[in-house]
């Protein structure tokens, strides 16, 4: 009987089925009603009591070895068929899944930062949750002045006021407070305004603002720097024009238009027939702002500008609705993926 057990154990170990059906055949042959192991167990009842212990152990070992072997072979086969079976062509090319891509706002922000880096600007950062001083007071917004209504604000606390920044000019205040001129910084970041959501406005958007302070900085420097930016961003044929405007922190102030790159200035529905697109605000830093930030306004002058990244991205990519940037719809976003 021991010899039979050992023989069966070897057969279990050496069992290499070539087809799935052989596994079940093997199981029936050993463990079925008339199987060889079943027969051994029947015989076991008749063996001498002093042999029972040893033989019982051996038969149990054989039985579980056989079951383990059969079960693991079955598992192997079903895993292989779930993976496409052994008949698949493994040299077949894979499917090109969309691996994700940069968000269009990031693409445009990086491009802006890069253009201004060529003019010597470095990037400065600051908090999105700000105090009244850095968003308004240091920037020459008198308390309760209607100029504050231009930027309707999300307040977190009142007295003292803690709020979500409405523009990244707050970063410029922080830079002026901590650095000595010459200062040349670009401030990209997320800003918040309490505006009704429509296709033209959104309560969260992104800005890039710039600041240049040194001795003898003039309005001509401002104009030339922004012309350079417009040409790099919208093409070398681009023209700019400046229209007088008002900001509390700049004097004089201007809005800048760039020639419409969609119709080449002839007039289309995007530029509403004017040939011009408004893209940013700018001006010479008001001496009150320099003084509030500890910079001597008799010695230094400077200019500042600020623009919305969404606006530039919409013009550059022909996007008609600003909300598309915030919906995370992959059908929209994947259009900005680099070609594979
Ligand atoms: N901070 C202004 C805004 O958010 C933009 C601006 C910046 C205008 C610098 C002029 C100079 O509307």
């Amino acid at each position: 009987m021991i010899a039979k057990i050992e023989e069966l154990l070897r057969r279990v170990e050496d069992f290499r089925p070539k087809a799935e059906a052989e596994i079940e055949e093997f199981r029936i042959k050993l463990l079925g009603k008339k199987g060889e192991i079943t027969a051994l167990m029947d015989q076991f009842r008749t063996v001498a009591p002093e042999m029972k212990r040893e033989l019982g152990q051996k038969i149990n070992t054989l039985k579980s070895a056989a079951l383990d072997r059969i079960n693991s072979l079955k598992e192997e086969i079903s895993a292989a068929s779930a993976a496409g079976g052994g008949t698949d062509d493994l040299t077949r090319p894979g499917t090109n899944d969309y691996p994700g891509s940069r968000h269009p706002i990031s693409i445009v922000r990086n491009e802006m930062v890069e253009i201004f880096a060529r003019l010597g600007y470095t990037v400065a950062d600051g908090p999105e949750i700000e105090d009244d001083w850095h968003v308004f007071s240091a920037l020459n917004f008198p308390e309760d002045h209607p100029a504050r209504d231009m930027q309707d604000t999300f307040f977190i606390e009142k007295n003292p006021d803690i709020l979500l920044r409405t523009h990244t000019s707050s970063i410029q205040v922080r830079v002026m407070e901590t650095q000595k001129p010459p200062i040349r910084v670009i401030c990209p970041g997320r800003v918040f305004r309490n505006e009704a959501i429509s296709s033209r406005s959104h309560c969260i958007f992104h800005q890039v603002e710039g600041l240049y302070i040194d001795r003898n900085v003039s309005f001509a420097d401002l104009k030339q720097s922004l012309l350079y930016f417009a040409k790099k961003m919208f093409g070398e044929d681009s023209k700019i024009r400046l229209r007088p405007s008002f900001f509390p922190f700049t004097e004089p102030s201007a809005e800048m238009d760039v020639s419409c790159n969609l119709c080449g200035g002839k007039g289309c529905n995007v530029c509403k027939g004017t040939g011009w697109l408004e893209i940013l605000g700018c001006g010479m830093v008001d001496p009150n702002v320099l003084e509030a930030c500890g910079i001597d306004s008799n010695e230094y002058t400077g200019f500042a500008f600020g623009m919305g990244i969404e606006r530039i991205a919409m013009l550059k990519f022909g996007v008609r609705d600003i909300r598309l940037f915030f919906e995370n719809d992959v059908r929209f976003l994947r259009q900005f993926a680099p070609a594979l």
Side-chain angles (χ1 to χ4, degrees), residues 234 238 258-272 275-277 311-320:
F234 294 106
S238 301
V258 63
S259 52
C260 180
N261 62 335
L262 297 172
C263 62
K266 283 191 218 68
C268 64
N269 62 343
V270 173
C271 62
K272 301 202 189 67
W276 295 98
L277 300 162
R311 170 100 179 122
I312 307 284
M314 287 171 84
L315 296 174
K316 210 173 155 66
F317 296 130
V319 175
R320 297 295 169 93

Side-chain angles (χ1 to χ4, degrees), residues 8 11 23-42 63 66-67 70:
L8 281 170
R11 269 167 59 195
I23 303 174
E24 184 59 10
E25 261 170 44
F26 188 69
R27 188 189 72 80
I28 292 167
K29 200 155 188 295
L30 297 192
L31 296 158
K33 261 200 178 121
K34 292 184 181 146
E36 294 176 61
I37 295 176
T38 318
L40 276 179
M41 280 161 26
D42 288 338
K63 196 180 163 192
L67 279 172
I70 286 163

Side-chain angles (χ1 to χ4, degrees), residues 151 166-167 169 172 193 207 209 247 249-250 281-283 304-306:
Q151 302 187 359
T166 56
H167 50 184
S169 306
Q172 304 180 339
R193 292 188 195 179
Q207 278 190 327
E209 295 213 354
F247 298 101
F249 34 87
T250 46
C282 58
F305 53 88

Side-chain angles (χ1 to χ4, degrees), residues 287-312:
N288 286 349
V289 174
L290 295 174
E291 295 295 336
C293 299
I295 292 173
D296 184 350
S297 62
N298 293 314
E299 196 176 348
Y300 294 105
T301 52
F303 65 74
F305 53 88
M307 60 192 130
I309 303 179
E310 281 80 357
R311 170 100 179 122
I312 307 284

Side-chain angles (χ1 to χ4, degrees), residues 48-314:
E50 65 275 19
M51 295 287 285
K52 276 216 153 131
R53 199 181 144 84
E54 196 198 340
L55 274 177
Q57 270 171 6
K58 281 198 181 346
I59 291 175
N60 275 339
T61 315
L62 169 64
K63 196 180 163 192
S64 46
L67 279 172
D68 285 351
R69 182 91 186 114
I70 286 163
N71 288 338
S72 71
L73 283 167
K74 281 187 176 166
E75 263 167 43
E76 263 175 45
I77 297 249
S78 70
S81 74
T87 53
D88 255 15
D89 175 5
L90 298 179
T91 62
R92 197 182 49 168
T95 48
N96 272 340
D97 270 345
Y98 170 56
S101 54
R102 283 217 190 285
H103 194 280
I105 297 302
S106 301
I107 294 173
V108 172
R109 183 205 46 216
N110 292 349
E111 195 174 332
M112 290 167 150
V113 166
E114 200 214 306
I115 292 170
F116 284 106
R118 283 182 245 159
L119 294 176
Y121 288 77
T122 52
V123 172
D125 202 0
E128 291 178 357
I129 299 174
E130 268 290 8
D131 50 25
D132 173 89
W133 172 256
H134 290 95
V135 176
F136 294 125
S137 296
L139 288 162
N140 203 33
F141 285 82
E143 218 179 307
D144 300 323
H145 191 278
R148 292 191 181 209
D149 295 346
M150 284 162 71
Q151 302 187 359
D152 203 352
T153 311
F154 289 111
F155 289 93
I156 292 174
E157 280 170 25
K158 292 290 271 174
N159 289 323
D161 289 352
I162 304 294
L163 45 100
L164 298 180
R165 68 181 179 201
T166 56
H167 50 184
T168 58
S169 306
S170 54
I171 304 176
Q172 304 180 339
V173 173
R174 289 178 179 276
V175 170
M176 287 188 277
E177 284 173 334
T178 53
Q179 295 177 24
K180 298 226 167 316
I183 290 172
R184 217 179 305 185
V185 288
I186 192 100
C187 307
R190 186 157 44 165
V191 300
F192 307 84
R193 292 188 195 179
N194 187 9
E195 283 167 2
I197 298 172
S198 72
S199 64
R200 304 187 138 259
S201 68
H202 198 276
C203 57
I204 295 176
F205 64 102
H206 298 78
Q207 278 190 327
V208 165
E209 295 213 354
L211 175 71
Y212 178 28
I213 297 174
D214 202 349
R215 293 189 179 86
N216 301 320
V217 176
S218 74
F219 202 93
D221 298 320
L222 165 65
K223 197 171 173 188
Q224 190 58 35
S225 304
L226 293 179
L227 177 62
Y228 176 82
F229 166 74
K231 284 175 180 286
K232 297 300 163 204
M233 197 67 187
F234 294 106
E236 288 299 323
D237 297 336
S238 301
K239 296 178 185 56
I240 60 166
R241 73 176 184 187
L242 293 165
R243 286 176 290 108
S245 185
F246 170 78
F247 298 101
F249 34 87
T250 46
E251 180 60 35
S253 304
E255 305 274 357
M256 187 180 101
D257 300 339
V258 63
S259 52
C260 180
N261 62 335
L262 297 172
C263 62
K266 283 191 218 68
C268 64
N269 62 343
V270 173
C271 62
K272 301 202 189 67
T274 63
W276 295 98
L277 300 162
E278 183 187 318
I279 61 162
L280 58 81
C282 58
M284 302 305 292
V285 180
D286 193 300
N288 286 349
V289 174
L290 295 174
E291 295 295 336
C293 299
I295 292 173
D296 184 350
S297 62
N298 293 314
E299 196 176 348
Y300 294 105
T301 52
F303 65 74
F305 53 88
M307 60 192 130
I309 303 179
E310 281 80 357
R311 170 100 179 122
I312 307 284
M314 287 171 84

